[in-house]
Amino acid sequence: MVRRFLPLLLLLSFVGIAIWALTAEREEQVRSKLVGQPVPAFALEPAIEGKPGLSSADLAQSEGPRLVNIFASWCLPCKAEAPLLDALAGEGVPIDGIAVRDRPSDILAFLDEHGDPFERLGNDPRSEAMIALGASGVPETFIVDGRGVIRYHHQGPLMPADLPALRAAWEEAR
Amino acid sequence: MMRPKQQRLVLVVAALVALGGAALLALWGLESRAAYFVTPSDIVAGKVEAGVPLRLGGMVREGSLDRKPDGVTVSFEAVSGADVVEVSYTGILPDLFREGSGMVAEGRLGADGRFLADTILAKHDERYMPPPLEKAQAAGETLER
Amino acid sequence: MIAEFAHGALWLAAALCLMQLGLGVAALRGEQAISRAIRPIAAIQALLVVTAFAALIWLFWRTDLSVALVAANSHSAKPLLYKIAGAWGNHEGSMLLWLTVLTGSGALFAAFEKRLEARTMAASLAAQAAIGIGFFAFLLLSSNPFERLNPSAVEGKGLNPLLQDPGLAFHPPTLYLGYVGLSVAFSLAVGAMLTGSVGSALARAMRPWVLGSWIFLTAGILAGSYWAYYELGWGGYWFWDPVENASLMPWIAATALLHSVGVLAARNALKAWTMMLALIGFSMSMVGTFLVRSGILTSVHAFAVDPERGAFILFLLTFYIGAALLIFGWKIGHVRDSEPFEPVSREGALVANNLLLSVILALVFIGTLYPILAEAMGEQISVGPPYFNTVIGPLALILALLLFVGPKLRWRRGGPLFSPLGIAGLLLSAAMLVITFLLGWNLTILERLGLSIAPGLALASLAPLWGRNLLRTPAPITGMVVAHLGLAVLLAGMAAESGFTKERLVLARPGEQIEVGPWTMEFEGTRPVAGPNWTAVEAELRASRGSGPVLLKPQSRYFSSPPTQTSEAALATDWDGQLYAVIGQGSESEGWQLRLWWKPLVTLIWLGGFLVTLGGLIALIGRWWGEWRRRRRLAGSGYRERRAW
């Protein structure tokens, strides 16, 4: 009798594995191990005229936590997250930017079209700072506390659904 | 000639034996033929045996790409965290392969500690798609050769 | 308005589908009178869905950018063929296509199946409707293809350029036809188990659907394989990629079912086994769809991936297949015993065929899913060609050896094991094996055995025609012989491709000469070319080997929307193989990377695949023709077949 239901058991074990695979948190392969570590040393030239560049020293001597956003004008998801960053900047959240493999003219056009939430904006033409920070693409966003320690790392564009986690990390970093 | 009942039993037993055999064969095949996914850190930490088929995932370090004089062999450094492994590959690099981007190499670790790749897969730099855009793009793939 | 009308038609069809389920259940419980209404309901339902699908194609044709799906997947600059193919080149459209085929085949089944017992018919149609409802819900609730965009888009977002290819435009629909055909076999099995009428009549009703879907699956897999061969530019035709395996698994199950349903039809044997295979066939279609759509397996093939949709498909899969397997466990004991047979008999050979195919199916299944299982245990593993070739190659060869004797054995009690042609084939294979050694060919064991078995198998596969008048041979037998002959050709092609391929990878400057196998290729240079929505660098290669030169023009294409680069391989076919050229990176000063292959006899793979498909078609059309003539004869003699309804 059991034998007749054997195929059903096989199906259920398949479904079990599949549910696990669908729900399990799938860690990105190249995730930063730098959360909890000081920002690696880097110093970036200003990306556009009239706005200071960004260096790890700037982040280490800040009054409170700051958001660091790695983006590029050629990156589609960066456009998607731009409104949210603008809103955060409007709330008074200090945000610094790192423009990866980009041209000043393109960056200006991007900021014109999608708003400019950045206090400082470093130019990273060879992705050096991006790699030093352990980012594997654009956009990615970090929370760096006042002492220059990375407290939070978000990969991919910031979406409204990501805000609660971001705000929680922000409160903790204060 | 067997009675139908006996025959049915024989068939069921044959089916079970066949599936059991399949499972054993699969286990043997997976044991000896499947490739583990490793990072440069695993290799630096000495967790990886030379000569075993592997998949290596990591970032291509900026400025490390070097073309050999034959024009078709390249070497570059794959990094994860602070760990670095040199990768050597003969062939046409995928269109999306860039310095500073992620990549996956299939191949094996040589005795000299270099990774000898048979195939390189490049990760999209813009692979992160927010749901609304993802719907718009219908571009779900993360790997391209 | 068209979009809104089509959307309404889908809702109406869904309501009719629900009605079909209710009426089917009522008929199963003995309300015979009610069941008459099912046939027109199935027909109208199909008509509504077909109309909605036609509307979607129309919207894509016109590039109506006020429809979200069109804006997301099309582009006004796209060639017309790909605009139309874009209708099903995305998740929503492909689900609508799935439903179109599902309801369409349901309607065909309801309209033309007249010999099946009424209660079984009603139960099967109810099962078919139950499957339909799940997909209607999926389509209407979570993936409405007719959603409007407000304001409408200025320009579409294009289609993945890799998908802009005739092979791929028609690859998914072909596979869907195959998957859905298996759903009819599934419904029939469920219906027959519920009414306890598993037997020859059921097998005869099921066989055309199995055969039809098997033909589509074969053709679909071939098209996909050929697409991978020339579009991806990797020089191979099969990569054991999860997406490929997802289409291969239903094919293996359908092949096994095709053979066992023949036993059930002819000999009323293998009842439970055939029902199980009918359930497995459609299960594999659902599992394959789930694996591809949910993205739980990373694949190198481009596909729309969404875990939520994956969850929905998983839910449907669990529900339908779980229910069917419950019915199997609960009801199969009531199925009367099968007719007995001796081990050495046609039935015995077909059982061996089924067991081997089941083992192969299990091996593909395990190999495809193992990476997920390993991840659950904290390891990351990829399972690729080394595993699949090693474990499946030998079994496929044993299956080929079985073909030397199987088709010529007698039903029930076996006569002699070998037919004259079978012996001749075996001798030819043995001679070929010796020849491969004498010629000093450097081959792996599998390649050597494959090359030896293939010619003998080609000869032995003709055995069922031995002593027959070719003109009077029944079409199903001719079809079987052609398909088996195709397998021999396919085997020869695969072994030759694997054993004899010559490959060169060079950095060449214009004017340089490159030797590949017997060919000399002269690299003439590169020039820019442009298409409707791409620009490309095109290399010109002049290949010759004594006879007149052949021109190859591989391209490296750049698409603007979305920005992508693809390699267009160049192929040149000669009587004994194909030249294959790919251009990589390079510049005028440094030279260009060229990857060149000479693949002797690779054409046999496509020829063999074509013969296998053709064999299926001959058998299917032959059976239809026979049935039609039988009805004509009955009608002519004044006898009206009593309708089961």
Side-chain angles (χ1 to χ4, degrees):
Chain A
M1 197 60 204
V2 179
R3 183 179 85 196
R4 286 188 203 142
F5 290 97
L6 204 61
L8 190 62
L9 288 178
L10 284 176
L11 171 76
L12 291 180
S13 47
F14 165 77
V15 172
I17 296 171
I19 288 176
W20 177 85
L22 276 180
T23 51
E25 278 287 313
R26 314 200 98 209
E27 291 272 318
E28 277 295 326
Q29 193 50 45
V30 196
R31 184 174 272 284
S32 169
K33 288 174 182 157
L34 294 177
V35 174
Q37 306 280 326
V39 174
F42 66 87
L44 297 175
E45 298 289 315
I48 52 174
E49 275 182 40
K51 206 180 265 281
L54 186 68
S55 71
S56 44
D58 297 329
L59 294 169
Q61 305 154 6
S62 169
E63 283 173 14
R66 306 180 72 82
L67 232 51
V68 178
N69 178 248
I70 302 182
F71 77 105
S73 67
W74 43 264
C75 141
L76 196 63
C78 301
K79 293 173 189 164
E81 70 170 4
L84 195 72
L85 287 178
D86 290 338
L88 285 172
E91 288 174 24
V93 176
I95 306 178
D96 296 327
I98 296 177
V100 177
R101 298 206 298 277
D102 224 330
R103 279 191 298 260
S105 56
D106 293 343
I107 298 174
L108 272 175
F110 180 88
L111 296 180
D112 269 352
E113 190 179 344
H114 301 286
D116 178 3
F118 303 115
E119 293 188 359
R120 293 169 169 273
L121 188 53
N123 190 19
D124 189 11
R126 293 170 58 79
S127 311
E128 281 153 3
M130 179 182 113
I131 292 191
L133 282 164
S136 58
V138 278
E140 296 199 4
T141 305
F142 296 83
I143 294 176
V144 180
D145 69 13
R147 286 168 297 129
V149 176
I150 300 175
R151 303 294 294 265
Y152 186 72
H153 178 189
H154 178 85
Q155 292 183 303
L158 276 177
M159 289 286 110
D162 303 321
L163 272 186
L166 187 77
R167 287 197 198 280
W170 182 263
E171 287 307 317
E172 221 169 90
R174 267 185 200 276
Chain B
M1 199 167 290
M2 281 182 284
R3 277 184 292 121
K5 200 151 199 157
Q6 278 175 309
Q7 180 164 322
R8 206 167 61 191
L9 194 66
V10 169
L11 285 179
V12 168
V13 169
L16 290 179
V17 167
L19 288 184
L24 284 179
L25 189 57
L27 282 182
W28 168 79
L30 290 168
E31 186 69 27
S32 58
R33 300 287 193 281
Y36 281 80
F37 195 104
V38 297
T39 60
S41 307
D42 295 328
I43 293 180
V44 170
K47 286 191 220 160
V48 176
E49 233 177 288
V52 186
L54 293 172
R55 278 190 161 205
L56 172 72
M59 304 281 293
V60 184
R61 180 187 263 191
E62 289 279 343
S64 71
L65 186 67
D66 181 30
R67 240 169 244 291
K68 300 288 178 255
D70 69 354
V72 288
T73 303
V74 294
S75 73
F76 59 87
E77 289 171 357
V79 293
S80 63
D83 301 313
V84 179
V85 168
E86 193 183 343
V87 180
S88 164
Y89 172 65
T90 303
I92 295 178
L93 285 170
D95 309 324
L96 290 152
F97 183 91
R98 280 183 207 113
E99 293 187 342
S101 281
M103 67 89 218
V104 175
E106 292 179 344
R108 55 207 72 229
L109 189 65
D112 57 353
R114 292 204 318 179
F115 191 88
L116 308 168
D118 305 320
T119 316
I120 301 269
L121 307 156
K123 272 192 175 172
H124 276 248
D125 211 28
E126 300 157 81
R127 69 183 179 284
Y128 302 114
M129 285 287 161
L133 278 178
E134 187 180 49
K135 210 171 168 188
Q137 281 290 81
E141 90 267 54
T142 56
L143 290 173
E144 187 166 303
R145 217 180 266 223
Chain C
M1 280 313 277
I2 290 179
E4 283 70 30
F5 271 125
H7 192 205
L10 283 180
W11 274 104
L12 200 56
L16 286 175
C17 188
L18 204 60
M19 227 160 110
Q20 179 178 336
L21 175 63
L23 292 179
V25 172
L28 183 63
R29 287 162 157 263
E31 303 280 338
Q32 295 288 339
I34 293 179
S35 67
R36 277 180 229 285
I38 296 185
R39 249 194 286 199
I41 285 179
I44 297 170
Q45 185 189 324
L47 206 66
L48 287 168
V49 180
V50 168
T51 311
F53 187 58
L56 188 68
I57 290 181
W58 172 254
L59 292 170
F60 268 86
W61 186 330
R62 301 290 309 273
T63 319
D64 185 337
L65 293 170
S66 70
V67 175
L69 193 67
V70 179
N73 293 291
S74 199
H75 195 284
S76 57
K78 220 158 60 166
L80 181 62
L81 174 69
Y82 302 122
K83 277 187 188 172
I84 294 172
W88 60 78
N90 56 75
H91 168 76
E92 286 82 358
S94 71
M95 277 295 137
L96 181 54
L97 173 67
W98 175 286
L99 259 178
T100 308
V101 182
L102 187 75
T103 52
S105 54
L108 282 180
F109 172 62
F112 292 109
E113 180 52 53
K114 288 175 181 159
R115 287 199 284 172
L116 199 62
E117 185 234 341
R119 278 186 70 222
T120 309
M121 183 80 187
S124 304
L125 281 171
Q128 189 75 4
I131 296 175
I133 284 166
F135 285 98
F136 271 118
F138 188 22
L139 188 74
L140 290 170
L141 302 181
S142 89
S143 30
N144 172 19
F146 296 108
E147 208 167 283
R148 289 282 185 183
L149 202 61
N150 193 17
S152 67
V154 181
E155 185 49 278
K157 293 258 165 48
L159 177 79
N160 189 335
L162 278 173
L163 301 179
Q164 288 189 23
D165 177 276
L168 206 71
F170 296 102
H171 170 59
T174 316
L175 278 182
Y176 275 13
L177 283 166
Y179 287 175
V180 173
L182 288 176
S183 84
V184 177
F186 176 90
S187 302
L188 272 167
V190 170
M193 285 191 297
L194 281 174
T195 58
S197 57
V198 179
S200 304
L202 175 81
R204 290 204 189 93
M206 193 187 275
R207 183 157 53 190
W209 294 99
V210 179
L211 188 54
S213 66
W214 179 83
I215 293 168
F216 281 118
L217 284 175
T218 313
I221 290 173
L222 275 173
S225 164
Y226 196 69
W227 171 77
Y229 177 67
Y230 76 84
E231 181 74 8
L232 296 180
W234 305 337
Y237 58 93
W238 193 262
F239 302 95
W240 294 107
D241 181 272
V243 169
E244 292 171 345
N245 293 348
S247 67
L248 185 66
M249 289 191 285
W251 183 84
I252 300 172
T255 310
L257 177 59
L258 187 61
H259 289 83
S260 79
V261 85
V263 178
L264 184 57
R267 295 283 310 134
N268 207 15
L270 299 185
K271 289 179 176 173
W273 180 250
T274 305
M275 292 305 101
M276 192 69 231
L277 279 178
L279 300 191
I280 289 179
F282 184 58
S283 306
M284 284 301 144
S285 309
M286 293 277 289
V287 166
T289 311
F290 166 70
L291 291 179
V292 171
R293 295 277 164 197
S294 66
I296 61 174
L297 294 169
T298 27
S299 159
V300 289
H301 288 238
F303 253 102
V305 160
D306 184 339
E308 270 173 43
R309 287 164 185 166
F312 200 102
I313 297 176
L314 183 65
F315 171 76
L316 289 183
L317 177 159
T318 314
F319 186 73
Y320 294 141
I321 299 165
L325 291 176
L326 261 181
I327 292 173
F328 180 86
W330 168 44
K331 286 281 192 184
I332 204 67
H334 304 296
V335 170
R336 269 181 302 134
D337 285 320
S338 302
E339 295 286 328
F341 55 84
E342 295 219 331
V344 178
S345 63
R346 181 92 68 89
E347 289 99 321
L350 287 168
V351 166
N353 151 300
N354 268 228
L355 286 176
L356 278 166
L357 282 170
S358 304
V359 170
I360 292 175
L361 176 60
L363 289 170
V364 177
F365 187 77
I366 295 172
T368 309
L369 287 173
Y370 189 70
I372 307 177
L373 196 66
E375 209 185 327
M377 298 185 299
E379 301 250 37
Q380 281 219 334
I381 276 184
S382 90
V383 180
Y387 163 82
F388 290 105
N389 290 341
T390 321
V391 299
I392 290 168
L395 290 174
L397 287 180
I398 297 174
L399 205 53
L401 284 175
L402 194 63
L403 263 176
F404 279 76
V405 296
K408 199 55 183 159
L409 284 176
R410 290 199 323 207
W411 288 117
R412 216 170 144 193
R413 48 177 78 243
L417 187 58
F418 281 100
S419 62
L421 272 183
I423 294 175
L426 215 54
L427 289 176
L428 180 59
S429 285
M432 191 65 200
L433 188 61
V434 174
I435 290 173
T436 61
F437 279 109
L438 287 181
L439 291 180
W441 285 344
N442 186 16
L443 300 168
T444 66
I445 299 172
L446 283 181
E447 291 159 3
R448 196 180 296 279
L449 287 175
L451 277 176
S452 311
I453 291 174
L457 177 59
L459 192 61
S461 65
L462 300 174
L465 297 179
W466 181 264
R468 279 180 191 270
N469 177 343
L470 281 187
L471 288 177
R472 303 187 59 122
T473 308
I477 291 184
T478 314
M480 173 185 80
V481 168
V482 171
H484 287 164
L485 183 66
L487 279 182
V489 175
L490 185 68
L491 179 62
M494 295 199 295
E497 195 271 346
S498 163
F500 300 137
T501 293
K502 295 275 182 291
E503 182 189 346
R504 286 294 303 278
L505 179 67
V506 291
L507 186 76
R509 289 196 180 77
E512 268 184 51
Q513 288 198 338
I514 309 138
E515 307 278 333
V516 189
W519 293 84
T520 305
M521 314 263 276
E522 193 172 336
F523 179 35
E524 311 256 298
T526 59
R527 63 196 183 92
V529 287
N533 53 352
W534 48 265
T535 56
V537 173
E538 184 178 271
E540 216 171 273
L541 291 154
R542 200 171 288 278
S544 61
R545 52 167 181 182
S547 58
V550 193
L551 212 56
L552 285 109
K553 295 178 173 176
Q555 294 177 345
S556 186
R557 282 190 188 170
Y558 307 84
F559 287 79
S560 50
S561 175
T564 320
Q565 192 178 20
T566 68
S567 285
E568 292 288 305
L571 290 175
T573 309
D574 210 346
W575 65 272
D576 60 341
Q578 277 181 323
L579 272 170
Y580 188 114
V582 174
I583 179 171
Q585 289 139 342
S587 64
E588 283 309 308
S589 54
E590 288 176 14
W592 295 84
Q593 292 181 341
L594 293 173
R595 197 163 182 190
L596 309 166
W597 285 270
W598 166 238
K599 293 176 169 290
L601 301 183
V602 69
T603 30
L604 290 185
I605 295 177
W606 319 118
L607 176 66
F610 170 75
L611 284 175
V612 172
T613 318
L614 180 70
L617 269 177
I618 291 174
L620 186 65
I621 292 171
R623 283 197 196 282
W624 271 341
W625 177 244
E627 177 81 354
W628 186 76
R629 283 219 332 216
R630 196 183 60 86
R631 286 193 188 172
R632 277 288 301 270
R633 230 181 14 248
L634 288 175
S637 66
Y639 170 80
R640 281 242 160 235
E641 200 176 349
R642 189 164 50 86
R643 285 206 161 176
W645 290 73

